Amino acid sequence: MASDILVFQLSNGVKIPSVGLGTWQAESDIVGAAVEFAIKIHRSVRMKKGSTGLNPENFVNPDIPGTWRALEALYDAGKARAIGVSNFSSKKLGDLLEQASVPPAMNQVECHSSWEQAKLRAFCKSKGVHLSVSRKKKNYELLS
């Protein structure tokens, strides 16, 4: 039953399920459209103008503050219920928190018995940032 699913409440009051099963049961046209949209708005790296090839010298450092301001604008406009980050260290998350008007509600990271990330878990908990752990085909949530 849906009412029996454990949920976590994010710092802004939004509730999320404790376990996410991905999109494997969604209809393919819905998933396809979502993936197509995500590809249009997301690039994992920025390239210097006029450069070709994936050589490190062609990469531009990511503009995390500018990107975060754009996410805050989407949140403020009601187009996102919550905004968060992925794979942020304690340092990078701390830097973002110093300038964010909307703090990240979540940090999604790799965490397991071989890499417990105790310092990051403690930092996220102290700042009210939910720590979400993602794995292929399975998502595990840690209480923050």
Side-chain angles (χ1 to χ4, degrees):
M1 295 188 141
S3 62
D4 294 339
I5 296 173
L6 177 67
V7 297
F8 296 110
Q9 186 166 327
L10 302 178
S11 57
N12 67 352
V14 170
K15 293 180 180 176
I16 60 170
S18 60
V19 177
L21 301 176
T23 58
W24 66 277
Q25 287 185 320
E27 295 185 28
S28 61
D29 58 333
I30 293 172
V31 174
V35 169
E36 184 178 339
F37 179 74
I39 289 170
K40 285 181 183 177
I41 65 167
H42 179 272
R43 292 185 187 156
S44 57
V45 296
R46 286 182 19 196
M47 305 295 288
K48 291 179 182 173
K49 193 171 188 157
S51 65
T52 58
L54 295 176
N55 299 319
E57 63 270 10
N58 293 338
F59 299 158
V60 175
N61 288 331
D63 178 12
I64 293 173
T67 301
W68 192 254
R69 284 191 299 275
L71 288 170
E72 289 176 328
L74 291 172
Y75 179 80
D76 291 341
K79 295 183 179 187
R81 294 177 57 214
I83 54 177
V85 295
S86 179
N87 299 316
F88 270 42
S89 64
S90 299
K91 166 86 170 91
K92 192 179 285 187
L93 187 56
D95 291 346
L96 179 61
L97 286 167
E98 286 180 8
Q99 60 190 6
S101 61
V102 178
M106 182 182 298
N107 185 11
Q108 183 178 0
V109 299
E110 179 181 357
C111 185
H112 45 73
S113 59
S114 298
W115 192 21
E116 295 181 0
Q117 300 215 51
K119 178 182 170 190
L120 178 61
R121 287 181 18 223
F123 183 77
C124 286
K125 185 174 185 174
S126 75
K127 299 299 182 182
V129 177
H130 181 81
L131 190 65
S132 174
V133 178
S134 178
R135 291 192 174 187
K136 254 187 181 176
K137 298 185 182 179
K138 295 181 184 178
N139 284 340
Y140 300 93
E141 300 289 346
L142 295 176
L143 288 171
S144 58

